[in-house]
């Protein structure tokens, strides 16, 4: 066995590679957790759009009162959900990209440790930083999306209060 092959095997057997790869692994885990929760949030947007579709169908079929008001609210809510879905898709893309960069950084660390290449030692750091930037971008998008979610909730609450007020007014007229 050549000396170079023996050095490579010793480097690969060393725990130095594994310990060097821990930081990207933690970041991969963090990105994975955000991917999971963001996917769930996107699923909830889909469920809400389906609910709005059902409500729209009921209004158009004449099954619900206050048709004009409901149509206006549904139109606004669908637009908010559309914006939210776009933000979620962008956040998921950024999270997947961050994950890819963190995996690449981890592999680059292993390569550098195994081959002892100081000329390319900056590559894992650059890859991890790029992953961090995408993780930051995804977090910013998710923060922005949460504001849209709050807007959606507040408008929904205002409409419920409107319907309650109209109901009370109509009850008052009949008594």
């Amino acid at each position: 066995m050549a000396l170079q092959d023996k050095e490579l095997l010793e480097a690969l057997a060393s725990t130095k590679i594994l310990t060097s790869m821990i930081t990207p692994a933690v970041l991969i885990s963090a990105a994975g957790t955000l991917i999971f929760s963001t996917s769930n949030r996107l699923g909830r947007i889909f469920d809400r759009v389906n609910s709005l579709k059902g409500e729209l169908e009921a209004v158009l079929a004449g099954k619900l009162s206050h048709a004009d008001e409901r149509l206006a609210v549904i139109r606004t809510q669908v637009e908010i959900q559309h914006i939210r879905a776009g933000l979620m898709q962008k956040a998921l893309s950024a999270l997947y990209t961050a994950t890819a960069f963190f995996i690449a950084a981890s592999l680059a660390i292993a390569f550098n440790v195994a081959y002892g290449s100081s000329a390319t030692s900056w590559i894992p750091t650059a890859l991890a930083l790029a992953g961090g930037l995408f993780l930051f971008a995804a977090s910013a998008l998710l923060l922005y999306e949460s504001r849209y979610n709050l807007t959606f909730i507040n408008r929904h609450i205002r409409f419920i209060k409107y319907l309650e007020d109209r109901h009370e007014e109509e009850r008052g007229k009949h008594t």
Side-chain angles (χ1 to χ4, degrees), residues 7-113:
E7 289 173 358
L8 176 61
L9 286 175
E10 286 176 10
L12 291 174
S14 168
T15 59
K16 186 176 180 184
I17 292 175
L18 291 177
T19 57
S20 298
M21 295 170 70
I22 294 295
T23 300
V26 170
L27 293 171
I28 292 166
S29 177
T33 301
L34 281 172
I35 288 169
F36 180 72
S37 74
T38 303
S39 296
N40 284 340
R41 287 168 67 178
L42 186 58
R44 292 188 61 166
I45 291 170
F46 178 78
D47 292 343
R48 183 60 188 143
V49 169
N50 274 340
S51 172
L52 289 168
K53 178 182 167 272
E55 190 175 343
L56 176 63
E57 290 169 345
V59 169
L60 295 176
K63 296 179 181 177
L64 295 173
S65 64
H66 303 88
D68 292 336
E69 293 88 348
R70 285 182 189 274
L71 288 174
V73 168
I74 290 170
R75 192 174 299 116
T76 302
Q77 298 295 28
V78 167
E79 184 57 33
I80 291 170
Q81 297 309 313
H82 184 255
I83 292 167
R84 287 183 65 207
L87 290 169
M88 287 295 195
Q89 186 279 323
K90 289 174 185 166
L92 278 170
S93 294
L95 289 168
Y96 286 128
T97 303
T99 303
F101 274 117
F102 293 142
I103 291 169
S106 185
L107 294 172
I109 289 169
F111 180 81
N112 277 349
V113 171

Side-chain angles (χ1 to χ4, degrees), residues 123-174:
I123 293 174
T125 303
L127 291 168
L129 285 173
L133 289 173
F134 276 95
L135 192 59
F136 176 78
S139 297
L141 285 165
L142 291 170
L143 179 63
Y144 190 61
E145 183 277 334
S146 71
R147 296 295 300 163
Y148 270 99
N149 191 30
L150 181 61
T151 300
F152 167 78
I153 291 167
N154 287 336
R155 287 185 179 172
H156 207 67
I157 289 169
R158 282 194 303 271
F159 185 64
I160 290 169
K161 287 180 180 178
Y162 168 81
L163 290 177
E164 288 172 342
D165 292 346
R166 296 296 79 76
H167 178 73
E168 289 298 319
E169 287 176 11
E170 288 173 11
R171 277 185 65 196
K173 289 178 183 177
H174 295 298

